[in-house]
Amino acid sequence: MIVTVVMGFAMAWAIGANDAANSMSTAVGAGAITARQAVLIAGALEFAGAYFFGKSVTETIRKGIIYPDRIAEPSVLVYGSIAALLAATLWLLIATKFGLPVSTTHSIIGGIAGYGIVYAGLSAVNWGRMAQVVLSWILSPVIGAVMAYIVFKALTRSIFGSKNPVKSAGVWSPFWTGMAFVVIGTMFYIKVLHGSSLRTGVLCYGLPAGALVFFLGHFLFRLRFPSGDPFIGVESIFRRVQVITSGYVALAHGANDVANAIGPVAAVYAVATMGLSGMKVPVPKWILALGGLGIAAGVATYGYRVMETVGRKITELTNTRGFTIDFSAATVVLAASWMGLPISTTHTVVGAVIGIGLARGVKAINTDIVRDIVISWFVTVPVAALISAIVFKVLTSVG
């Protein structure tokens, strides 16, 4: 159990170093905040997202990839969880070294499938569930790109294409920020208060939160506007708004991707305390807290490499573009977290960045960087599965 907790924390640290950096990379790349400010904001909100919103996806990772009834011995689950965590952590460290934003979801699921196949063959893996996960990996960047493209076009047409860009920005920036808080308020009701009605969440929590932010933002932007130049002024407004939306992405990431680190830890804890029958108990809060702390530490100590790739190397970002990426990606990821579907935050964010580039023309995208990123996505699952299989074999032989 102690070894698994240590490995789970290491995996959470690797997630923070690689994947969680995506939440603040656009804000840093667009100059809205400094790297140091990004670390503080991301660390706090990643922890909050993991602790309060992370339960549903944790259950999916812990019990949905391989069939629990195919594992007859508790020691197999323990060794397998350690192998999966070690494999995913090693691959994430390698990718982070080269600044490649790979999927932590790919990594841990590949690790879980790897040890399951070694122990009980191909039949141990829930291939129907795996197909859903793979489909979500394909859809998440596409949906992220399409949504970012549409939102960015709407922003440019309603603000920069209007007769008075400053006035239009004062209306539309509070509107989009308010929309972000509609989603956050709804998720708070469903995840923290354990509400079951989406309609109640939207009407009683989401819409009031969004309306409050809209009117507050509208009032503040009327009081202070930083520049007489309409284009500089609009970007200045969205520089402030982008800090909020980047925090929104961090919250969404903590909710969805904490499962990648602490799902196996939760499984081992259940087995250690109750045997295999413990697989049906809820995930303890202290395990969610462990994952949140690890992610925050990873952002603080090694997250700058992936921030550089996503924030500056794929396409040139401004504050309006960065805001669009944050809003689009976070909405997709939080919706997936509510459904208990472990999609890739990395794919969604990178897809949104590409969508912004496409809105300006293909030449605005660094195709070499995109090619390297896509290749790293394809090799993640087999590499993690192979490492996990080898580690599992060694552990069971020694054990």
Side-chain angles (χ1 to χ4, degrees), residues 61-85:
I61 292 291
R62 192 180 70 175
K63 298 186 291 187
I65 304 304
I66 56 177
Y67 293 109
D69 58 359
R70 304 296 172 88
I71 301 176
E73 303 173 22
S75 61
V76 171
L77 184 63
V78 173
Y79 290 145
S81 297
I82 294 173
L85 287 169

Side-chain angles (χ1 to χ4, degrees), residues 80-379:
S81 297
I82 294 173
L85 287 169
L86 181 59
T89 302
L90 288 175
W91 170 243
L92 287 173
L93 287 176
I94 294 170
T96 305
K97 174 68 176 177
F98 293 98
L100 294 173
V102 300
S103 170
T104 55
T105 307
H106 276 95
S107 303
I108 193 64
I109 288 180
I112 292 172
Y115 90 77
I117 292 172
V118 167
Y119 173 70
L122 294 173
S123 62
V125 178
N126 184 344
W127 293 108
R129 183 61 185 162
M130 282 287 287
Q132 294 177 18
V133 171
V134 170
L135 181 62
S136 73
W137 293 335
I138 297 171
L139 291 177
S140 55
V142 173
I143 296 173
V146 170
M147 188 167 185
Y149 183 94
I150 293 172
V151 172
F152 183 67
K153 285 294 187 180
L155 280 174
T156 54
R157 179 172 295 182
S158 60
I159 297 177
F160 295 112
S162 68
K163 294 181 179 180
N164 191 336
V166 173
K167 183 178 180 181
S168 298
V171 174
W172 282 101
S173 56
F175 169 79
W176 289 112
T177 309
M179 288 296 294
F181 273 84
V182 169
V183 179
I184 292 175
T186 304
M187 292 300 295
F188 181 86
Y189 166 76
I190 293 171
K191 292 294 184 180
V192 180
L193 303 181
H194 306 295
S196 58
S197 172
L198 182 62
R199 181 179 179 181
T200 301
V202 172
L203 294 178
C204 298
Y205 292 85
L207 287 178
L212 177 63
V213 170
F214 170 80
F215 288 114
L216 182 62
H218 187 67
F219 175 73
L220 291 176
F221 290 143
R222 285 173 63 89
L223 284 180
R224 293 183 60 189
F225 191 77
S227 174
D229 184 303
F231 295 100
I232 295 176
V234 168
E235 291 296 337
S236 183
I237 283 180
F238 277 95
R239 182 179 300 119
R240 290 158 174 76
V241 176
Q242 195 184 355
V243 176
I244 299 174
T245 55
S246 292
Y248 176 34
V249 176
L251 187 75
H253 180 270
N256 198 70
D257 280 28
V258 68
N260 298 330
I262 58 93
V265 178
V268 172
Y269 173 79
V271 170
T273 55
M274 303 181 190
L276 290 175
S277 62
M279 291 295 287
K280 296 181 181 180
V281 301
V283 178
K285 283 291 186 181
W286 71 265
I287 295 181
L288 289 170
L290 173 78
L293 286 173
I295 291 175
V299 175
T301 56
Y302 207 43
Y304 63 90
R305 288 185 179 271
V306 179
M307 277 192 197
E308 180 74 17
T309 298
V310 178
R312 293 191 172 99
K313 292 183 178 180
I314 297 177
T315 191
E316 183 182 354
L317 295 180
T318 61
N319 297 118
T320 48
R321 297 167 193 166
F323 163 80
T324 304
I325 292 165
D326 292 342
F327 177 79
S328 304
T331 300
V332 173
V333 172
L334 270 178
S337 180
W338 169 65
M339 294 184 291
L341 183 63
I343 72 165
S344 169
T345 306
T346 302
H347 286 204
T348 308
V349 171
V350 172
V353 174
I354 293 172
I356 289 294
L358 290 175
R360 300 165 53 225
V362 178
K363 291 183 179 179
I365 300 174
N366 187 335
T367 54
D368 291 337
I369 291 293
V370 173
R371 180 200 61 210
D372 293 343
I373 291 172
V374 172
I375 291 173
S376 70
W377 288 354
F378 276 104
V379 303

